[in-house]
């Protein structure tokens, strides 16, 4: 069993930065691929980024590539999402997720575990 708790969301101006954190409980954290997805009001859930259990494989969604960086610290059971050059269209609830298969994270369905989400609002 893995429980995920996100933090670090908030209000930021366009062009600014935020770093999201996702703290995981459970001794099997290092076995899981981790990812971030987001959902804006009235829009479908969107894949943001995913990282394999050892950090060697990383995927990004097209809309964030070059601006966002995902990383993990297995010693701290934490995954991070550094978000730079934020745009108003990045406004959404950001969810941390875990799955044994990284490809499932890129699809965003049938995931093993989800966090409660953290709101990110980017003002223009």
């Amino acid at each position: 069993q893995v429980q995920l708790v996100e933090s670090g969301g908030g209000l930021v101006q366009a062009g600014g930065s935020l770093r999201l954190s996702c703290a995981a409980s459970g001794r099997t954290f290092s076995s899981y691929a981790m990812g971030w997805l987001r959902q804006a009001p009235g829009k479908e859930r969107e894949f943001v980024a995913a990282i394999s259990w050892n950090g060697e494989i990383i995927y990004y969604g097209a809309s964030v590539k070059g601006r966002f960086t995902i990383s993990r610290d297995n010693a701290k059971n934490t995954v991070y999402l550094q978000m730079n050059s934020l745009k108003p269209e990045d406004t959404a609830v950001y969810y941390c997720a875990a799955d044994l298969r990284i490809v499932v994270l890129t699809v965003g369905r049938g995931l093993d575990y989800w966090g409660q989400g953290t709101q990110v609002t980017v003002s223009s």
Side-chain angles (χ1 to χ4, degrees):
Q1 189 79 6
V2 176
Q3 292 184 327
L4 306 173
V5 178
E6 302 96 335
S7 63
L11 174 64
V12 64
Q13 287 188 332
S17 299
L18 280 176
R19 188 174 84 153
L20 304 184
S21 299
C22 173
S25 63
R27 56 185 178 180
T28 59
F29 169 80
S30 60
S31 300
Y32 285 82
M34 300 295 297
W36 292 91
L37 296 96
R38 66 187 183 185
Q39 189 162 20
K43 294 188 177 181
E44 293 188 354
R45 186 181 303 146
E46 179 186 12
F47 167 70
V48 176
I51 186 168
S52 63
W53 68 273
N54 59 1
E56 291 185 357
I57 300 172
I58 291 175
Y59 296 116
Y60 292 102
S63 61
V64 307
K65 199 169 186 177
R67 300 186 297 122
F68 290 11
T69 302
I70 189 171
S71 61
R72 68 188 295 162
D73 186 339
N74 286 345
K76 295 182 178 180
N77 279 14
T78 303
V79 62
Y80 304 97
L81 184 69
Q82 177 67 43
M83 305 185 294
N84 298 329
S85 302
L86 283 161
K87 304 174 182 180
E89 50 264 44
D90 293 318
T91 295
V93 177
Y94 282 70
Y95 297 93
C96 176
D99 199 278
L100 290 173
R101 302 154 294 174
I102 191 172
V103 67
V104 176
L105 288 163
T106 66
V107 174
R109 290 186 175 86
L111 294 165
D112 290 338
Y113 301 103
W114 287 93
Q116 293 298 308
T118 184
Q119 176 71 45
V120 172
T121 303
V122 185
S123 63
S124 58

